[in-house]
Amino acid sequence: MNPVVRGLAVYLFVYVVFRILGKRSLSEITTFDFVLLVIISEATTDALIGEDYSLVACFIMVCTLVGIDYLFSVIKNKSKWFQVVSEGAPLIIVEHGKPLTKRMKKSRVDEEDVLEAARETHGLERMSQIKYAVLERDGKISIIPEQN
Amino acid sequence: MSKDKSIERVNTDLEIDEHLPMQERGWKMQTIGMYFILAIVLTASIGLFGDGPMSKRINENIATVEYERFYRFQSRMELKVQIDNTNDPKGLAVKFPSKYLEHFQVDSVLPEPEKTTFNGDHIQYQFNGKGNIMITFYLIPQRIGRIDGSIEINNNRFVLNHFIFP
């Protein structure tokens, strides 16, 4: 199979799978997520290489993957719609100390995740000290503390 | 009273664009996508892509030929031939048409044949022995898509139909 077709197919498939999985899995929060990422990278290696161990095949594969990445970034810059579809959008999940439970459930985030981010980034002790918690596009939770 | 399933709306002074309608559509697509992934896992486990009851085919005549109806490109698959040769001193002759073998690489044959002959339009493997003989051919598909062919065992034809996934 043509290495360009192989590279394109694997890149798109893994991309779609991670979009289905959701933002949180990308941030390697738990051991499960970490193991999943490591194993997926191993599983895709053979599909990318096949039986072709030549230097040229490797160069073609790298160029294909880099090329697709560049093309996507160009399209994202030109199209807000494509940017939101491909990367998602930030989502407020805590407002003035109150967890927005339906949003959290949809995003598969729980209060413990928010409190962990609050402790790590600002040393906050409780939910009431959080003005806003935002689930960012990359799966990380950013915390804006209350003024006092 | 029905439960309000819509997600919370937020009035905020934060400079943030949540694109909520798209996010809600995205969540629906995630759910559908997850069901699709689970369907792939289920069908793969029963052999839709090979190595399972859905893929195994058995043709019986003077011999039994067991092969994979569905398989994967460049993966080693088994084609088994079993025959009770007690009353036939000629042994077992398995003929593969060249047209069929164009789409496969013969990785190995167990046990090894006594003789392999090539004749223009077919390759013949000769096995000598008596009693219940089981031969396994290990084939590697070299083409994606539908492959229809046949083999001959002691001049009896067995049809083989494969679909090879990429």
Side-chain angles (χ1 to χ4, degrees):
Chain A
M1 190 187 275
N2 187 297
V4 173
V5 172
R6 228 184 242 278
L8 190 62
V10 172
Y11 184 100
L12 289 175
F13 178 75
V14 174
Y15 183 81
V16 167
V17 164
F18 274 113
R19 286 295 282 135
I20 289 171
L21 206 50
K23 298 174 192 173
R24 293 293 286 163
S25 301
L26 275 176
S27 21
E28 298 177 37
I29 296 298
T30 66
T31 310
F32 288 123
D33 297 322
F34 176 72
V35 167
L36 182 68
L37 285 173
V38 168
I39 288 182
I40 285 179
S41 74
E42 289 296 318
T44 51
T45 302
D46 283 340
L48 282 170
I49 293 170
E51 290 186 331
D52 191 342
Y53 304 111
S54 65
L55 278 176
V56 169
C58 168
F59 295 160
I60 293 172
M61 192 57 64
V62 169
C63 288
T64 302
L65 297 172
V66 166
I68 297 166
D69 200 63
Y70 178 76
L71 189 67
F72 274 18
S73 64
V74 164
I75 298 173
K76 266 187 286 184
N77 278 341
K78 292 194 184 316
S79 165
K80 191 73 182 164
W81 177 86
F82 185 79
Q83 188 185 347
V84 176
V85 164
S86 60
E87 289 185 340
L91 184 74
I92 297 173
I93 51 176
V94 172
E95 184 191 24
H96 295 299
K98 183 172 153 259
L100 304 173
T101 50
K102 287 174 189 166
R103 289 175 170 223
M104 290 171 77
K105 191 176 169 194
K106 288 283 190 190
S107 317
R108 298 202 291 273
V109 170
D110 59 26
E111 290 185 27
E112 273 309 312
D113 295 327
V114 175
L115 289 169
E116 185 182 329
R119 285 191 296 267
E120 277 179 353
T121 54
H122 294 283
L124 301 180
E125 293 172 13
R126 55 189 68 83
M127 195 67 81
S128 56
Q129 293 172 301
I130 299 172
K131 185 178 180 186
Y132 292 111
V134 179
L135 177 63
E136 303 291 356
R137 291 179 300 176
D138 62 358
K140 295 204 171 12
I141 297 173
S142 48
I143 303 289
I144 297 159
E146 291 282 12
Q147 297 295 352
N148 300 320
Chain B
M1 201 159 84
S2 62
K3 244 178 169 173
D4 183 9
K5 287 186 179 170
S6 56
I7 64 163
E8 301 95 338
R9 289 316 192 240
V10 174
N11 276 329
T12 175
D13 52 354
L14 256 186
E15 196 168 332
I16 188 171
D17 198 347
E18 291 183 304
H19 294 279
L20 266 180
M22 286 189 79
Q23 292 226 44
E24 286 178 300
R25 264 199 299 274
W27 288 322
K28 280 195 188 108
M29 294 305 296
Q30 268 181 350
T31 308
I32 293 170
M34 216 18 117
Y35 280 124
F36 185 68
I37 287 176
L38 289 173
I40 290 179
V41 171
L42 196 68
T43 49
S45 65
I46 58 173
L48 176 61
F49 305 105
D51 296 319
M54 201 169 162
S55 172
K56 197 177 284 189
R57 289 291 185 272
I58 298 176
N59 285 352
E60 283 174 314
N61 194 331
I62 59 147
T64 303
V65 175
E66 188 183 304
Y67 70 99
E68 298 278 351
R69 169 80 175 91
F70 303 108
Y71 220 70
R72 305 172 299 278
F73 180 60
Q74 289 186 333
S75 271
R76 205 167 90 135
M77 74 177 192
E78 293 178 359
L79 191 153
K80 292 182 182 165
V81 174
Q82 187 180 11
I83 190 168
D84 190 344
N85 210 30
T86 313
N87 299 318
D88 194 338
K90 291 197 301 279
L92 175 64
V94 181
K95 236 187 248 182
F96 284 90
S98 302
K99 270 195 172 164
Y100 179 76
L101 284 186
E102 269 171 17
H103 309 302
F104 293 96
Q105 175 192 328
V106 180
D107 191 46
S108 59
V109 183
L110 279 178
E112 286 194 5
E114 284 290 322
K115 195 165 66 170
T116 307
T117 48
F118 175 63
N119 167 12
D121 65 349
H122 68 262
I123 294 176
Q124 181 167 307
Y125 297 90
Q126 183 67 41
F127 303 86
N128 293 334
K130 278 195 183 167
N132 209 349
I133 304 174
M134 165 82 98
I135 316 288
T136 306
F137 294 88
Y138 293 94
L139 306 174
I140 301 178
Q142 300 295 302
R143 197 173 75 78
I144 292 161
R146 195 171 153 161
I147 300 174
D148 295 324
S150 61
I151 59 171
E152 278 184 27
I153 298 168
N154 288 354
N155 297 320
N156 287 275
R157 192 165 166 263
F158 290 78
V159 172
L160 304 173
N161 301 115
H162 308 278
F163 187 88
I164 307 299
F165 288 94

